[in-house]
Amino acid sequence: LRQRPASKAITALLLRDSASNWCARCGTCLPRLMTSEGAQARVSRMILIVDDDSDVRETSADMLTELGYTVQQAESGVQALEMLGKTGFDIMVTDIRMPGMSGLELSSLAATRHQALKIILVSGYFQPQALSHRFLQKPFRTDDLDTAIRAELGSEASPVR
């Protein structure tokens, strides 16, 4: 494990054995990560995770960091909008139910201000009806989140912009 300078985030070292690839953090097999296709699709992709629950936010960020994405975190809609104005994110993954500004309000404002931004809404309580963005039900697995992100990136999932 390696801690990044000036950050509380720890990057997990991935170990490869002859039969498969394993995540040293959780022991989950991540065969796509070590392939050139899987790694290249994630290079330089900036993802913003927005959730008022720090455990969910940090776990989601850890999942995506392990997959090779560059991740930043916001604990509120207001903080997310500030960060979106300063950094070019490719995707925002936001919880729907948050105090103050909801994820639905955030996604509407973010989509208007940052038209190229892809948005994924997540919730453990909300039942999707007619949403204009991709929806992911909590709890979700690493593969579910990765699949949703790759689907949003679509043909843009090339190595570097």
Side-chain angles (χ1 to χ4, degrees):
L1 297 178
R2 182 179 63 170
Q3 186 167 7
R4 286 185 264 159
S7 172
K8 290 192 276 185
I10 296 177
T11 304
L13 172 66
L14 295 176
L15 303 175
R16 181 180 180 147
D17 73 18
S18 59
S20 62
N21 304 305
W22 298 90
C23 164
R25 179 175 165 264
C26 63
T28 303
C29 184
L30 298 172
R32 285 192 320 239
L33 179 59
M34 297 303 285
T35 66
S36 61
E37 176 188 332
Q40 286 179 351
R42 296 170 180 90
V43 173
S44 296
R45 295 302 181 176
M46 292 288 296
I47 299 177
L48 177 60
I49 301 288
V50 188
D51 200 309
D52 61 307
D53 183 325
S54 62
D55 290 336
V56 172
R57 188 176 64 245
E58 290 172 13
T59 299
S60 299
D62 287 347
M63 288 177 183
L64 294 172
T65 299
E66 287 176 3
L67 289 169
Y69 295 105
T70 302
V71 182
Q72 291 187 25
Q73 303 175 41
E75 62 183 324
S76 69
V78 172
Q79 184 183 19
L81 288 174
E82 290 173 10
M83 293 174 74
L84 287 168
K86 296 176 184 175
T87 304
F89 290 96
D90 297 295
I91 294 184
M92 177 178 70
V93 179
T94 182
D95 187 21
I96 292 176
R97 290 185 61 180
M98 297 186 293
M101 183 184 301
S102 74
L104 294 175
E105 294 168 306
L106 170 61
S107 66
S108 177
L109 288 169
T112 301
R113 295 178 188 177
H114 309 279
Q115 295 173 354
L117 181 69
K118 309 292 185 192
I119 299 171
I120 299 172
L121 300 167
V122 298
S123 181
Y125 307 100
F126 185 82
Q127 293 301 318
Q129 294 170 9
L131 293 175
S132 57
H133 303 289
R134 186 170 301 276
F135 176 78
L136 193 57
Q137 184 76 40
K138 287 182 187 177
F140 48 81
R141 297 173 310 147
T142 302
D143 283 347
D144 299 330
L145 185 54
D146 187 37
T147 298
I149 288 170
R150 291 171 62 89
E152 280 301 308
L153 291 173
S155 62
E156 297 177 39
S158 59
V160 183
R161 296 191 229 171

